[in-house]
Amino acid sequence: MRTQRTTPDQILTAALHRAGLRQTQQAYLRHLLTLWLVIPGRHSFTNLARYAPTTERTHRSWAQKPVPWVPLNSALVLQAQDQQILSHTGILGVDAVFIPKHGQHTPELASYWCGTQGRSVRGLEGTCVTWIDPLTHQPIPLSITQTPAAVPDGESRVDFYATVTLNTIMQLPDTLRSQLQAVVADAYYTKLKFVSRVVDEG
């Protein structure tokens, strides 16, 4: 018998509870994620406050508090599987996300490779690790981690990408780790120091 599907809001509420978040954090994230879907323009603190009863100060305060994104997004994957929206198998996609940025006061501002322009460009970069359902082709991002402008001596950005990937894998619940079939990325990640670490430690 096919499980009756619930509404997206019910799925989100169940995932927030499943991730073990505090009630106050659950309420704020449910409010924030709903705002993201409906407000026009940029998702700045000022714009968020303009379209909701919460103040800009409230949004800034919550933004300073850590959110366990991998457990939360993993709970969302499991909830979607329970509703038969996703299958019970997956692969991890790893790729860099580049954001053009200028100025002198933005943390971790540096030159990063921009695939769309085919050259290094000044801006910000993050490594995104995504759960991909190979049957429905549905991606659900698990984590995104900002790349530091400078890495420790003796290491490279490839070491950082491998560490981010492994940290995400280690935070997956056992159910999802058992369903994981492969880690996929573009040709840049075929470097030995990335592949060997992910295979040996992941």
Side-chain angles (χ1 to χ4, degrees):
M1 179 181 294
R2 187 176 179 82
T3 304
Q4 184 179 0
R5 291 189 180 182
T6 53
T7 66
D9 182 66
Q10 290 173 319
I11 292 175
L12 174 60
T13 300
L16 289 169
H17 178 74
R18 193 171 198 164
L21 303 180
R22 300 189 315 274
Q23 289 292 331
T24 52
Q25 194 170 33
Q26 289 185 41
Y28 175 74
L29 286 173
R30 189 164 54 248
H31 170 69
L32 177 65
L33 295 173
T34 302
L35 276 179
W36 279 352
L37 293 175
V38 298
I39 67 170
R42 299 179 62 185
H43 291 173
S44 63
F45 294 129
T46 302
N47 214 24
L48 288 170
R50 185 176 292 124
Y51 290 92
T54 44
T55 65
E56 182 177 343
R57 181 178 179 180
T58 298
H59 289 295
R60 290 185 182 277
S61 176
W62 275 107
Q64 299 299 316
K65 299 177 182 179
V67 176
W69 288 113
V70 176
L72 174 56
N73 290 322
S74 296
L76 184 60
V77 172
L78 291 170
Q79 196 65 30
Q81 289 180 344
D82 289 347
Q83 296 297 317
Q84 299 184 12
I85 298 170
L86 298 179
S87 69
H88 292 268
T89 186
I91 59 177
L92 282 189
V94 182
D95 201 6
V97 179
F98 177 77
I99 302 173
K101 189 77 175 178
H102 301 285
Q104 302 298 325
H105 304 291
T106 303
E108 311 303 346
L109 191 65
S111 292
Y112 301 99
W113 179 258
C114 177
T116 57
Q117 298 187 35
R119 61 188 179 91
S120 292
V121 181
R122 191 165 176 78
L124 303 174
E125 183 190 74
T127 297
C128 186
V129 182
T130 302
W131 181 270
I132 304 170
D133 186 321
L135 299 183
T136 65
H137 302 165
Q138 177 67 48
I140 296 184
L142 296 172
S143 69
I144 183 165
T145 307
Q146 187 173 355
T147 305
V151 294
D153 292 339
E155 294 187 8
S156 68
R157 286 178 179 167
V158 175
D159 293 302
F160 174 78
Y161 303 147
T163 298
V164 169
T165 303
L166 287 169
N167 285 345
T168 302
I169 293 174
M170 296 306 176
Q171 291 182 69
L172 289 175
D174 292 341
T175 302
L176 290 185
R177 290 194 68 178
S178 68
Q179 297 175 12
L180 186 59
Q181 302 297 306
V183 176
V184 298
D186 63 25
Y188 180 85
Y189 297 87
T190 57
K191 294 177 173 60
L192 181 61
K193 61 171 56 181
F194 180 88
V195 174
S196 59
R197 281 194 62 194
V198 172
V199 171
D200 293 342
E201 301 177 37

Short mmCIF file of all heavy atoms in Angstrom, two decimals, residues 1 10 23 48 50 63 85 94 111 118 121 131 148 155 178 182 185:
data_model
loop_
_atom_site.label_atom_id
_atom_site.label_comp_id
_atom_site.label_asym_id
_atom_site.label_seq_id
_atom_site.Cartn_x
_atom_site.Cartn_y
_atom_site.Cartn_z
N MET A 1 0.84 -1.19 0.00
CA MET A 1 0.00 0.00 0.00
C MET A 1 0.88 1.25 0.00
O MET A 1 1.85 1.32 0.76
CB MET A 1 -0.92 0.02 1.24
CG MET A 1 -1.82 1.25 1.30
SD MET A 1 -2.86 1.25 2.79
CE MET A 1 -3.90 -0.17 2.44
N GLN A 10 4.48 19.90 6.37
CA GLN A 10 4.49 18.79 7.32
C GLN A 10 5.80 18.00 7.22
O GLN A 10 6.34 17.55 8.24
CB GLN A 10 3.30 17.87 7.07
CG GLN A 10 1.95 18.49 7.46
CD GLN A 10 0.78 17.62 7.03
OE1 GLN A 10 0.78 17.06 5.94
NE2 GLN A 10 -0.22 17.50 7.89
N GLN A 23 13.16 23.38 20.23
CA GLN A 23 11.87 23.86 19.75
C GLN A 23 11.97 25.28 19.20
O GLN A 23 11.38 25.60 18.16
CB GLN A 23 10.84 23.81 20.89
CG GLN A 23 10.41 22.42 21.30
CD GLN A 23 9.59 21.72 20.22
OE1 GLN A 23 8.90 22.36 19.44
NE2 GLN A 23 9.66 20.40 20.19
N LEU A 48 14.32 40.41 4.84
CA LEU A 48 13.58 39.41 5.61
C LEU A 48 12.68 40.09 6.64
O LEU A 48 11.52 39.70 6.84
CB LEU A 48 14.54 38.46 6.31
CG LEU A 48 15.30 37.46 5.43
CD1 LEU A 48 16.37 36.76 6.23
CD2 LEU A 48 14.35 36.44 4.82
N ARG A 50 11.42 43.02 6.45
CA ARG A 50 10.38 43.81 5.80
C ARG A 50 9.12 43.00 5.54
O ARG A 50 8.01 43.54 5.51
CB ARG A 50 10.93 44.36 4.47
CG ARG A 50 9.99 45.30 3.73
CD ARG A 50 10.65 45.86 2.48
NE ARG A 50 11.74 46.77 2.83
CZ ARG A 50 12.99 46.63 2.39
NH1 ARG A 50 13.33 45.60 1.61
NH2 ARG A 50 13.92 47.50 2.74
N ALA A 63 21.42 34.15 12.99
CA ALA A 63 22.45 33.83 12.00
C ALA A 63 23.80 33.55 12.66
O ALA A 63 24.67 32.90 12.05
CB ALA A 63 22.59 34.97 11.00
N ILE A 85 8.98 9.77 -1.84
CA ILE A 85 9.33 10.82 -2.80
C ILE A 85 10.71 10.53 -3.37
O ILE A 85 10.99 10.80 -4.53
CB ILE A 85 9.29 12.20 -2.12
CG1 ILE A 85 7.87 12.50 -1.64
CG2 ILE A 85 9.77 13.30 -3.05
CD1 ILE A 85 7.76 13.72 -0.75
N VAL A 94 29.92 16.35 -5.36
CA VAL A 94 30.79 17.36 -4.76
C VAL A 94 31.18 18.37 -5.83
O VAL A 94 31.64 17.98 -6.91
CB VAL A 94 32.06 16.73 -4.16
CG1 VAL A 94 32.93 17.80 -3.49
CG2 VAL A 94 31.71 15.62 -3.18
N SER A 111 41.12 34.96 -4.97
CA SER A 111 40.91 34.54 -6.36
C SER A 111 40.64 33.04 -6.40
O SER A 111 41.44 32.25 -5.88
CB SER A 111 42.14 34.87 -7.21
OG SER A 111 42.29 36.27 -7.34
N GLY A 118 36.01 30.43 -17.11
CA GLY A 118 37.21 29.72 -17.52
C GLY A 118 38.50 30.34 -17.02
O GLY A 118 39.55 30.20 -17.66
N VAL A 121 38.88 34.24 -10.72
CA VAL A 121 38.19 35.51 -10.53
C VAL A 121 38.13 35.81 -9.04
O VAL A 121 38.01 34.90 -8.22
CB VAL A 121 36.76 35.46 -11.13
CG1 VAL A 121 36.04 36.80 -10.95
CG2 VAL A 121 36.81 35.09 -12.60
N TRP A 131 23.31 15.25 -1.69
CA TRP A 131 22.73 13.90 -1.83
C TRP A 131 21.91 13.89 -3.11
O TRP A 131 21.04 14.74 -3.31
CB TRP A 131 21.84 13.57 -0.65
CG TRP A 131 21.23 12.20 -0.71
CD1 TRP A 131 20.04 11.85 -1.27
CD2 TRP A 131 21.79 10.99 -0.17
NE1 TRP A 131 19.82 10.51 -1.13
CE2 TRP A 131 20.88 9.95 -0.46
CE3 TRP A 131 22.97 10.69 0.52
CZ2 TRP A 131 21.11 8.64 -0.07
CZ3 TRP A 131 23.20 9.38 0.90
CH2 TRP A 131 22.28 8.37 0.61
N PRO A 148 38.53 28.75 2.69
CA PRO A 148 39.36 29.81 3.27
C PRO A 148 40.30 30.41 2.22
O PRO A 148 40.75 29.71 1.31
CB PRO A 148 40.14 29.09 4.38
CG PRO A 148 40.19 27.67 3.93
CD PRO A 148 38.90 27.41 3.20
N GLU A 155 49.47 22.27 3.04
CA GLU A 155 48.20 21.79 2.50
C GLU A 155 47.80 22.63 1.30
O GLU A 155 48.35 23.70 1.05
CB GLU A 155 47.10 21.85 3.57
CG GLU A 155 47.34 20.91 4.74
CD GLU A 155 46.15 20.86 5.69
OE1 GLU A 155 45.10 21.44 5.34
OE2 GLU A 155 46.28 20.26 6.76
N SER A 178 24.65 3.62 4.60
CA SER A 178 24.49 2.28 4.02
C SER A 178 23.88 2.34 2.62
O SER A 178 24.04 1.41 1.83
CB SER A 178 23.61 1.42 4.93
OG SER A 178 22.27 1.89 4.96
N ALA A 182 28.18 5.92 -4.29
CA ALA A 182 29.38 6.49 -4.90
C ALA A 182 29.48 7.96 -4.55
O ALA A 182 28.50 8.58 -4.10
CB ALA A 182 29.36 6.31 -6.42
N ALA A 185 32.20 13.72 -8.86
CA ALA A 185 32.67 15.09 -8.97
C ALA A 185 33.24 15.27 -10.38
O ALA A 185 33.39 14.29 -11.13
CB ALA A 185 33.73 15.40 -7.92
#
